[in-house]
Amino acid sequence: GTENVAAVAGFGAAARAALAGREAAPARMAALRDRIEAGLRAESPDVVIFGAGAERLPNTISFSKPGMKAETAIIAFDLNGIAVSSGSACSSGKVQPSHVLAAMGVDPALAGGAIRLSLGWDTTEDDAGNVLNAWRKVASALSKGRGIAA
């Protein structure tokens, strides 16, 4: 058959665009990750950032707060337009705490409140600000004992 020249050219353009941002994207995402983590801690000094200080993916934040229940925190974030999860993508649908956090020696109660937030190539500074605004509401509800705490 006839080659789909337009599709071949489009794929080539997409590959060039993806490769162009390949070097800068990890550093940009790490800066956004670090900004969000600093904001989480500023609002709630007892927040635990899992893996902080270790070499890790630039686009993933995993955190918990003592007394926080993941399921209700997820709902609270969702109500504020932020998609988060309580575990890795490969453990979707499981309700027990992360086996990775257990292997790290994290207390099961703290692990039970773990939230994972992933950043993408198109995550912006405004998105980071939206996450922190949502966290302020979640943390406020936690401090007032309004259904988010375990």
Side-chain angles (χ1 to χ4, degrees), residues 4-138:
N4 185 346
V5 176
V8 171
F11 181 80
R16 278 191 299 282
L19 287 173
R22 182 178 63 160
E23 299 297 324
R28 189 185 65 75
M29 282 189 279
L32 286 172
R33 177 199 66 201
D34 293 346
R35 175 184 169 211
I36 293 169
E37 290 177 357
L40 294 171
R41 286 188 182 117
E43 185 66 34
S44 304
D46 58 342
V47 161
V48 176
I49 307 292
F50 301 112
E55 188 174 338
R56 56 197 167 113
L57 291 173
N59 69 319
T60 307
I61 302 166
S62 180
F63 69 97
S64 188
K65 178 177 172 55
M68 183 169 73
K69 189 173 178 184
E71 293 82 12
T72 48
I74 289 169
I75 293 168
F77 272 108
D78 184 59
L79 290 172
N80 286 280
I82 306 297
V84 298
S85 73
S86 62
S88 68
C90 60
S91 65
S92 179
K94 296 181 181 174
V95 293
Q96 66 266 24
S98 164
H99 69 281
V100 173
L101 294 179
M104 291 170 60
V106 174
D107 179 88
L110 187 62
I115 297 294
R116 181 180 54 87
L117 173 70
S118 296
L119 310 176
W121 62 269
D122 60 345
T123 303
T124 65
E125 288 285 337
D126 286 343
D127 295 329
N130 291 338
V131 167
L132 295 175
N133 287 335
W135 176 246
R136 282 183 199 91
K137 294 174 185 175
V138 172

